[in-house]
């Protein structure tokens, strides 16, 4: 892969920050080294001394004095080593990426911890997009992605999708206006990447099938574009087995995968990670060096200690319990929708995520209904238009999140909504 052709001038021009490089060297230095180099503050002056955090089943995570000093200090931009090594093993177990043993320059798998997957994604977009570049995605799409893309001035090409995600035939048709060799000619502006949420697309809850992923990956090879696999709902797949990922198929080193702990460990600790070819992950790390510098050391140590205490098996058992919870919530929300909205609206049962995407029959735009009338009736939802590139266009859809409400509350919410729809028809 020729990665340089994908990079913006700003990303290509990034150089390692000399002091950040030193932080990485120091983390491996022997205790005998007397360091007068870094501008790290003296942690003895910090007010926090120790902590004990209770986790499930009465167990605890301890921050003794030494650990606390480390938690309060600067750390490496790519992430703390023990978390990175744990995550590397997890990715190998779950996805077995073909790139794991490739030479570094040929797309060897690498990982970088980020402040939530959102930070990783926005840095990946900034690494790749020049104004006027063509990129591919499937609407409706996560509004956080749209807001990150808009200011970069790219031309977004929507690929039609259905209840099994992106339709490969449609993607093929869109790509047929280019020749495969056009990717070598920058003036032809072949799409640089495809962005997609393969499991439980936010807002539709729709997931891509394994067969479709294979077809899409082959098209990426043919037209030489990257795939950005934004997969925060990977562990919230509500049907029993997990679908193979793009990362697991990535023989070329063209997939950048964004993972998140937000839905299964904590959203407020802000820990996510991106996995992809080393030459690209390195560019993201250089950007981190001069922006956040690194995700919170305390948050990383907390998560790392938890994961080491649980082991892979304990972590996977935990995420299965989380998925069980969301499965029950999904079933309750679908039941409430069937009870109150049958005949008034339509929806697909989501296969992953925490969202129900509902289309109201006979109302072409839900914006006013949801943003004004529903609030007056004490129900809060998101109107469909915010998930489209052109958010001013009317949308008959709205998004319901079934994460927080109890089954009883969902029942009441849909009853109120049904009344409102009837009054508005
Ligand atoms: N991608 C998608 C599709 C999401 O739904 C979200 C969160 N709502 C994110 C990324 C960002 O998640 P994080 O908390 O890991 O930054």
């Amino acid at each position: 892969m020729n990665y340089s052709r994908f990079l913006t001038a700003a990303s290509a021009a990034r150089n390692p920050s000399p002091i950040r490089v030193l932080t990485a060297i120091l983390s491996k230095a022997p205790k005998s080294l007397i360091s007068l180099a870094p501008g790290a503050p003296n942690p003895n002056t910090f007010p926090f001394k120790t902590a004990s955090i209770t986790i499930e089943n009465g167990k605890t995570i301890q921050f003794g004095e030494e650990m606390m000093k480390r938690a309060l200090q600067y750390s490496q931009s790519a992430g703390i080593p023990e978390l990175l090594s744990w995550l590397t093993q997890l990715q190998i177990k779950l996805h077995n990426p073909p790139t794991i043993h490739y030479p570094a320059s040929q797309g060897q798998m690498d990982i970088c911890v980020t402040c939530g997957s959102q930070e990783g994604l926005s840095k990946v977009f900034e690494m790749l997009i020049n104004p006027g570049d063509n990129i591919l995605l499937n609407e409706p799409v996560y509004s956080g992605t749209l807001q990150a893309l808009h200011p970069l001035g790219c031309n977004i090409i929507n690929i039609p999708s259905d209840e099994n995600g992106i339709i490969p035939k449609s993607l093929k048709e869109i790509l047929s206006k280019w020749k495969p060799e056009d990717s070598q000619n920058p003036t032809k502006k072949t799409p640089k990447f495809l962005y997609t949420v393969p499991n439980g697309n936010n807002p539709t809850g729709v997931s891509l099938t394994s067969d479709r992923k294979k077809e899409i990956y082959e098209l990426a090879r043919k037209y030489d574009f990257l795939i950005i696999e934004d997969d925060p709902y990977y562990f919230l797949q509500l049907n029993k087995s997990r679908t193979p990922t793009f990362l697991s198929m990535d023989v070329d080193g063209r997939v950048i995968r964004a993972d998140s702990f937000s839905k299964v460990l904590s959203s407020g600790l802000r820990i996510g990670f991106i996995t992809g070819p080393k030459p690209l992950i390195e560019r993201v790390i250089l950007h981190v060096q001069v922006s956040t510098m690194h995700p919170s050391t305390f948050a990383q140590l907390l998560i790392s200690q938890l994961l080491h205490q649980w082991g892979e098996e304990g972590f996977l058992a935990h995420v299965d319990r989380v998925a069980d919870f969301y499965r029950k919530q999904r079933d309750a929300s679908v039941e409430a929708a069937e009870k109150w909205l049958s005949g008034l609206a339509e929806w697909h049962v989501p296969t992953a995520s925490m969202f129900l995407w509902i289309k109201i029959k006979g109302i072409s735009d839900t914006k006013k209904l949801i943003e004004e009338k529903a609030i007056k009736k004490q129900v809060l939802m998101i109107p469909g238009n915010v998930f489209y590139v052109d958010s001013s266009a009317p949308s008959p859809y709205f998004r319901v999140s079934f994460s927080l409400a109890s089954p009883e509350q969902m029942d009441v919410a849909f009853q109120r909504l049904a009344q409102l729809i009837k009054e508005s028809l």
Side-chain angles (χ1 to χ4, degrees), residues 45-108:
T45 64
F46 294 153
F48 308 100
K49 297 302 169 197
T50 62
S52 171
I53 293 167
T54 309
I55 55 171
E56 290 164 328
N57 304 325
K59 292 190 177 147
T60 55
I61 291 173
Q62 302 289 347
F63 282 79
E65 278 192 27
E66 282 314 303
M67 178 72 85
M68 190 56 119
K69 281 181 193 166
R70 207 184 141 205
L72 300 175
Q73 192 55 277
Y74 289 124
S75 57
Q76 300 90 315
S77 291
I80 58 169
E82 62 265 55
L83 181 57
L84 280 173
S85 59
W86 202 94
L87 296 176
T88 304
Q89 290 314 310
L90 182 74
Q91 296 302 61
I92 292 171
K93 182 183 166 81
L94 295 176
H95 312 290
N96 194 19
T99 48
I100 189 77
H101 298 301
Y102 285 15
S105 62
Q106 282 168 35
Q108 183 188 71

Side-chain angles (χ1 to χ4, degrees), residues 332-377:
S333 68
V334 169
E335 200 179 305
E338 275 165 5
K339 181 171 164 192
W340 296 108
L341 299 179
S342 290
L344 296 173
E346 47 193 43
W347 57 88
H348 292 293
V349 176
T351 50
S353 83
M354 44 180 72
F355 307 115
L356 202 54
W357 181 238
I358 301 181
K359 181 182 181 185
I360 304 182
K361 292 182 183 174
I363 292 181
S364 58
D365 191 10
T366 58
K367 195 169 159 54
K368 209 164 171 190
L369 183 94
I370 299 296
E371 281 183 352
E372 294 172 20
K373 296 184 185 167
I375 291 178
K376 283 194 194 128
K377 278 231 189 290

Side-chain angles (χ1 to χ4, degrees), residues 157-321:
I157 303 172
N158 176 41
I159 318 157
S161 52
D162 60 18
E163 67 273 18
N164 289 314
I166 291 171
I167 304 167
K169 198 166 153 274
S170 305
L171 176 59
K172 209 173 184 169
E173 261 166 42
I174 287 169
L175 291 167
S176 67
K177 78 176 227 197
W178 287 279
K179 297 191 199 75
E181 59 272 23
D182 286 351
S183 63
Q184 301 311 313
N185 180 349
T187 63
K188 300 280 183 186
K189 296 229 175 277
T190 53
K192 261 192 177 167
F193 63 80
L194 161 72
Y195 164 90
T196 195
V197 180
N199 293 299
N201 182 28
N202 178 358
T204 57
V206 155
S207 301
L208 253 178
T209 60
S210 176
D211 284 347
R212 285 193 178 188
K213 280 185 194 163
K214 284 185 199 147
E215 279 185 72
I216 293 166
Y217 190 81
E218 284 314 310
L219 287 168
R221 299 191 83 183
K222 185 169 170 187
Y223 291 92
D224 195 19
F225 57 83
L226 304 173
I227 295 177
I228 301 177
E229 175 172 53
D230 177 14
D231 208 357
Y233 305 104
Y234 176 76
F235 296 113
L236 297 196
Q237 295 183 61
L238 306 174
N239 300 338
K240 274 291 169 199
S241 61
R242 297 192 189 105
T243 315
T245 57
F246 280 115
L247 185 66
S248 73
M249 305 170 184
D250 190 19
V251 284
D252 294 341
R254 61 175 69 251
V255 173
I256 304 174
R257 180 178 163 80
D259 278 283
S260 174
F261 281 139
S262 290
K263 319 297 168 180
V264 290
L265 297 183
S266 158
S267 41
L269 286 175
R270 304 305 301 132
I271 298 294
F273 50 106
I274 54 168
T275 309
K278 203 175 185 61
L280 296 179
I281 299 295
E282 270 172 1
R283 293 283 114 197
V284 172
I285 296 170
L286 293 181
H287 193 172
V288 172
Q289 284 188 357
V290 292
S291 52
T292 56
M293 286 165 84
H294 59 80
S296 154
T297 318
F298 184 87
Q300 291 187 74
L301 274 171
L302 182 59
I303 286 191
S304 176
Q305 287 201 71
L306 175 76
L307 295 174
H308 280 93
Q309 202 177 106
W310 271 349
E312 243 163 42
E313 220 176 291
F315 171 71
L316 293 174
H318 169 78
V319 295
D320 281 348
R321 285 193 295 276

